């Protein structure tokens, strides 16, 4: 599903990732923990194709058996849209659009017909307990509801992999607990693979595997 070999990342002379090797199976939920500055978010961005490693010539990143480092920018953007979903600490919903419209944006980018996209969006929002919020804008939703809309948006294109960066970091404990349980329900229902960077020990320990990063390397 995800196979990364010798992933290095430099910012100027600062080496943030120092040769990360990683293998994640389909349907796994894997948490990545570590102190701030250990390289967790940088690794997640590279695994999610939002950034690239500094050593392309002697590293590899296979996602669904595709070497994404060999794709053109246009092909990579299409691959990302179709295969990968993202959930961030700050939901990044567009304030001028309704919950349903926000969910449908990746589907519209994929050129999914509007009716089909909206049907899928409504099904996901209903699954997430938000059927009464289709036409509400973000400022009319609670923090937990906004994050569930962001989860639906990540799922709308049927991605095989979900990358989450501190997904519950901006939520109260009750909403965070509900979101954590939701990830496992989604995996069991839809079969997605989850890679989650988190400082939340409860979420990290719930995962099938917990990986610890120290100084640019995975140590566990």
């Amino acid at each position: 599903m995800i196979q990364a070999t010798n992933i290095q990342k430099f910012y100027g002379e600062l080496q943030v990732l120092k040769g990360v090797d990683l293998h994640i199976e389909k349907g796994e939920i894997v948490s990545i923990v570590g102190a701030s500055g250990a390289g967790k978010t940088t690794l997640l961005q590279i695994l999610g194709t939002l950034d690239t490693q500094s050593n392309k010539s002697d590293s590899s990143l296979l996602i669904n058996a595709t070497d994404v480092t060999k794709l053109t920018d246009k092909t990579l953007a299409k691959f990302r849209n179709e295969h990968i979903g993202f959930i961030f600490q700050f939901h990044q919903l567009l304030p001028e659009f309704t919950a349903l419209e926000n969910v449908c944006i990746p589907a519209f980018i994929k050129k999914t017909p509007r009716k089909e996209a909206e049907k899928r969006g409504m099904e996901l929002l209903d699954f997430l307990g938000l059927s009464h919020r289709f036409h509400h804008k973000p400022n009319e939703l609670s923090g937990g509801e906004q994050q569930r809309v962001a989860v639906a948006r990540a799922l709308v294109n049927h991605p095989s992999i979900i990358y989450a960066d501190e997904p519950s970091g901006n939520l109260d404990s009750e909403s965070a607990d509900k979101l954590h349980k939701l990830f496992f329900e989604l995996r069991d229902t839809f079969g997605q693979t989850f890679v989650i960077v988190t400082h939340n020990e409860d979420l990290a320990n719930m995962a099938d595997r917990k990986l610890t990063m120290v100084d640019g390397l995975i140590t566990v």
Side-chain angles (χ1 to χ4, degrees):
M1 173 59 71
I2 304 169
Q3 188 161 351
T5 305
N6 191 32
I7 301 297
Q8 300 181 38
K9 185 66 177 181
F10 289 84
Y11 292 104
E13 294 185 359
L14 176 64
Q15 187 172 12
V16 178
L17 299 179
K18 300 178 179 179
V20 174
D21 296 326
L22 183 66
H23 184 238
I24 296 173
E25 299 287 350
K26 177 177 172 53
E28 267 197 300
I29 294 182
V30 174
S31 64
I32 302 176
V33 302
S36 295
K40 304 183 301 298
T41 293
T42 299
L43 177 61
L44 197 74
Q45 289 175 340
I46 291 173
L47 296 178
T49 74
L50 297 176
D51 198 356
T52 56
Q53 62 266 49
S54 300
N55 59 325
K56 279 189 176 182
S57 62
D58 62 348
S59 65
S60 64
L61 177 55
L62 300 176
I63 300 175
N64 289 346
T66 296
D67 187 347
V68 296
T69 64
K70 301 290 195 296
L71 302 179
T72 65
D73 288 346
K74 184 176 180 180
T75 306
L76 181 60
K78 184 174 186 291
F79 180 91
R80 185 188 306 121
N81 177 255
E82 293 177 353
H83 294 271
I84 298 172
F86 296 96
I87 304 168
F88 302 101
Q89 176 176 352
F90 299 100
H91 46 76
Q92 298 182 337
L93 302 180
L94 298 178
E96 65 271 29
F97 294 119
T98 66
L100 180 59
E101 289 167 338
N102 268 282
V103 170
C104 290
I105 287 171
F108 294 152
I109 292 171
K110 190 181 176 183
K111 301 193 182 329
T112 302
R114 177 171 286 273
K115 271 193 173 181
E116 182 182 334
E118 289 181 345
K119 180 176 182 290
R120 168 71 171 163
M122 287 188 285
E123 288 172 348
L124 286 168
L125 288 171
D126 184 46
F127 178 83
L128 296 171
L130 293 172
S131 57
H132 60 305
R133 296 297 204 187
F134 289 164
H135 305 297
H136 288 70
K137 292 186 176 177
N139 65 0
E140 300 173 298
L141 305 174
S142 70
E145 287 173 334
Q146 291 177 47
Q147 193 63 307
R148 278 183 281 156
V149 172
V151 171
R153 179 183 58 192
L155 295 170
V156 72
N157 282 345
H158 305 275
S160 53
I161 302 166
I162 304 292
Y163 293 107
D165 191 2
E166 297 291 356
S168 57
N170 201 34
L171 299 178
D172 61 74
S173 58
E174 182 180 355
S175 297
D177 185 56
K178 289 179 179 177
L179 182 67
H180 300 165
K181 290 175 180 174
L182 174 62
F183 290 154
F184 290 84
E185 186 177 354
L186 290 169
R187 187 269 302 273
D188 294 341
T189 302
F190 300 112
Q192 270 105 357
T193 303
F194 282 80
V195 183
I196 306 169
V197 163
T198 184
H199 281 105
N200 187 298
E201 282 298 316
D202 291 336
L203 174 57
N205 292 330
M206 289 168 68
D208 299 322
R209 279 195 293 150
K210 180 171 74 170
L211 306 177
T212 300
M213 288 198 73
V214 177
D215 197 22
L217 288 168
I218 290 175
T219 60
V220 179

